[in-house]
Amino acid sequence: MSAYAILGATGQVGGSILKLLGSSPENNINVLVRSRAKLEKSYPSLSSKLNIRVFEGNVSDVATLAQCLEGTRTVFLTTAVTDNDPGVSIAVDTAHAVISALDSLKAKDTYFKPPRLVVLSSAAMDERFWRNVPALVHKFVYAAHSYIYDDLARAETYLRQYEDWLDMTFVMPGGLTHDVQQGHELSAEYQQTYISFLDLAAGMIEVADGDTKWEGKHVSVVLQGGRQARLELWAPVDMGMGILYYLFPWLYKWLP
């Protein structure tokens, strides 16, 4: 029986992982959410899934988080925001909370075996994934999401301090879209914009269920056979707003 924990299950990535894993009764899944009611709205079949345990609480509630992580072999860290918020710290806050929870479990069990951490990040964090993209384009994309990426960088730096006893992989997709699942591949060399949330979720599950090939690595997810996902019409608006917040951080409090 598999045992997974998902942090961020009400988001697009975490929710897609839950949808794929939850389709098999063989998968035991723990999820930590602030609101079970919100999760049920996005995952209506939740009440009929006996293999899914829901823990209600904030990620900062270390005691509840530890209960959610206990006995699992993989933890998906998928908490994220989409706005380029100058004050965002959700990734680094989650990283600190997860380490505190695992420390508490390790302290009470001499034979504690920590779970593998599969961490959602972004292809923009690794230059290898952008070597075929003009440097100016990469700089523009990074600036439009700079505060989000800075948060991801701080989270990775913090988590890597514990690589002596934790196995972790940083999954770095390119742009994401609401599209059907087409089939994915894992890549240590290339990113693709766009892929669907479901294809990303399947890639993250492959990392979780695979061998130690990706331990400590950056890995991206691309579509098989050169397939393409549809574009998101909101992307230019999102990029434009991100650039505004990058240039004028004070605008974030004033614009919707």
Side-chain angles (χ1 to χ4, degrees), residues 38-202:
K38 182 179 179 181
L39 180 62
E40 289 176 338
K41 286 182 179 180
S42 61
Y43 193 66
S45 61
L46 178 66
S47 59
S48 66
K49 299 288 187 177
L50 301 180
N51 58 324
I52 300 176
R53 296 179 64 197
V54 178
F55 297 81
E56 279 191 292
N58 292 320
V59 72
S60 58
D61 180 354
V62 173
T64 302
L65 177 58
Q67 292 177 33
C68 180
L69 303 187
E70 189 169 16
T72 63
R73 67 179 184 85
T74 300
V75 181
F76 295 99
L77 282 67
T78 68
T79 51
V81 296
T82 56
D83 292 338
N84 196 28
D85 178 357
V88 66
S89 62
I90 189 169
V92 72
D93 290 345
T94 299
H96 279 265
V98 167
I99 295 301
S100 294
L102 293 177
D103 269 334
S104 70
L105 293 173
K106 185 171 66 168
K108 74 175 187 178
D109 183 358
T110 306
Y111 301 100
F112 173 67
K113 183 177 180 180
R116 174 180 293 185
L117 306 184
V118 180
V119 186
L120 175 63
S121 187
S122 169
M125 309 300 295
D126 192 324
E127 293 289 342
R128 286 179 305 163
F129 297 133
W130 288 83
R131 59 190 175 191
N132 294 327
V133 177
L136 186 61
V137 173
H138 187 196
K139 289 181 179 179
F140 182 84
V141 171
Y142 198 99
H145 304 89
S146 56
Y147 301 115
I148 297 171
Y149 296 155
D150 289 346
D151 182 33
L152 292 174
R154 295 196 306 272
E156 178 171 348
T157 298
Y158 179 75
L159 288 171
R160 286 195 180 278
Q161 297 179 61
Y162 301 92
E163 286 186 294
D164 58 327
W165 62 281
L166 289 177
D167 174 359
M168 61 191 71
T169 301
F170 297 86
V171 181
M172 298 183 163
L176 299 169
T177 184
H178 299 82
D179 202 353
V180 297
Q181 185 177 357
Q182 299 190 59
H184 74 279
E185 296 175 351
L186 299 179
S187 174
E189 302 295 332
Y190 305 102
Q191 63 89 25
Q192 181 175 352
T193 299
Y194 290 89
I195 67 168
S196 73
F197 287 101
L198 286 169
D199 282 303
L200 171 59

